[in-house]
Each structure stands twice: as structure tokens, then as C-alpha cells.
Amino acid sequence: MNSIKFCGLSLTALLLVSCATPDNTSHYQDDVQKILAASFRAEGQAGMDRLTPDEANRLCSEADYIGKPLNDKVAEKIRSENYKTIQWPANGQFIGDYKIGETIAQDGRGKTWSDKEGSVNGGNCYNCHQISKTEISYGTLGPSLYNYGKLRGITEVDSSTAKPIVEYTWAKLWNARSYNACSNMPRFGHNGILTETQLRHLMALLLDPKSPVNQ
């Protein structure tokens, strides 16, 4: 949801593959952007802004294209800048209702041209992760999250001992690139895909000992 991507490449990088080599892609950037701007229109939740990747998307797409990982200095800069964008819960409450969180995780709606502005988005979490033991259909792009809280020894999600993993989990959901510079995970909070309240419910799904995730 962060940008239009095919097989890990942004649309800009994908078009460059067909007309350029790694050494001369910059020559075509302006022409490619003009073609994209003339070929798409804003409609529903799909705005023209997604045709222009932010700096992290651009650098990661270029790294994908040339087949080389980002150097450590650039990767750390991306992580640092994205960490600064995290907005912590306004009332200090990280955990919501895991039952609502399961519904959000199952819901794949949002961020397409057919979705009206202001409509509620889903998390589409099962598209990339195994989460509960009973779910038989899930993606494997991301790691399994089954027993996420249990494996980390969380028995009381509001205890002081749970604070580090609770804050880490919130940060990952809000902006995954705060820990992984070129993460494919949507930046749910940063890009306004999910609301703060929805994120609290997903936090409960992952961390509440009573959640099916931890059974």
C-alpha cells in the first residue's frame, strides 16, 4: 500500500527496467514521471501522490533493481528518519480488543480507486502472515505471527516487563521502516492506512494472552 509495486519494484523502477541499464536510469526519470502522470488519474482513495515515491521507496526500489542491498549508512538513515515519524498512542493506551483486531486482520479493503475517500480500511494481515492456528489460508511474504506474544513471554500486556516489546510492536505497525529500511510491510500509521484505534486492536490480537494468536 505504500506505493505501486510489482515483484518488489516501484512502477517507476519497473518501467526503467525495459528501457535502461543500471548505469543510465537517471536519464529517463523525468520522461517516466511524465508518462505516469498522463496515464493515471486520482479516484477514490488512489491519489496521484502514489506515483511519486518518497525517498525511502525510491532508494529501496533502485537497490532492488540493481540487485544490491543498501549500504549500511543509507539504511540507518532511512530507519532513523522513519522512526522519528512514529506517533505513540495519544492516551498511552496501546492495547484494544483482540476480537476487533482479528476482524481488521481479515479485512483486505482499502487504498484502491474503488474505495471512497474516508471509508474504513482493513489491515489485510493474512495476505502476508500466518496469525492464528485455525486460519488455513495465509501468505508467507512475512514471518508467521502465531504465538507472537506467547513466544516473547508476555503474560500481562500492561506490565512494565512487557513495555519494550509492546513499544516495538507499535512502532512496527505504525512505520515498519523504522526497524527495517526496505520493509515490504505497509506503513499502516504513517501512511494513514489504519487509525490509531485500529492499531490498538491489532496490538491486542498480537499481544493479549487471551487472543487466538497466543493460544
Side-chain angles (χ1 to χ4, degrees), residues 45-201:
Q45 290 193 26
M48 298 297 287
D49 59 302
R50 64 181 62 189
L51 299 184
T52 306
D54 64 16
E55 185 70 359
N57 279 353
R58 183 184 68 79
L59 291 169
C60 291
S61 290
E62 289 177 357
D64 281 345
Y65 172 51
I66 64 177
K68 293 182 179 180
L70 295 176
N71 68 56
D72 292 342
K73 185 176 181 179
V74 172
E76 176 55 33
K77 183 174 184 289
I78 291 175
R79 288 192 294 269
S80 176
E81 291 181 348
N82 279 270
Y83 190 85
K84 293 175 184 176
T85 72
I86 296 170
Q87 295 181 26
W88 304 100
N91 61 0
Q93 180 63 47
F94 286 87
I95 307 299
D97 185 330
Y98 72 81
K99 294 178 182 178
I100 300 176
E102 172 68 17
T103 300
I104 296 170
Q106 292 275 9
D107 189 350
R109 294 174 300 175
K111 290 299 182 181
T112 71
W113 63 270
S114 59
D115 295 302
K116 295 180 180 180
E117 281 288 342
S119 59
V120 178
N121 298 321
N124 202 25
C125 306
Y126 281 102
N127 192 51
C128 296
H129 304 278
Q130 178 190 19
I131 301 178
S132 70
K133 186 178 182 180
T134 56
E135 181 59 54
I136 61 174
S137 179
Y138 51 84
T140 56
L141 180 62
S144 172
L145 299 177
Y146 180 55
N147 278 175
Y148 181 87
K150 187 176 182 179
L151 290 172
R152 289 158 179 79
I154 293 180
T155 57
E156 296 288 343
V157 293
D158 58 351
S159 70
S160 59
T161 57
K163 184 177 180 180
I165 193 62
V166 169
E167 292 183 347
Y168 165 80
T169 305
W170 180 272
K172 283 285 287 187
L173 289 172
W174 189 275
N175 189 338
R177 288 191 170 170
S178 60
Y179 284 98
N180 181 348
C182 290
S183 174
N184 287 316
M185 182 172 169
R187 291 179 281 180
F188 289 110
H190 178 69
N191 285 337
I193 299 167
L194 298 178
T195 67
E196 181 178 305
T197 297
Q198 286 178 305
L199 290 179
R200 282 199 291 267
H201 296 321

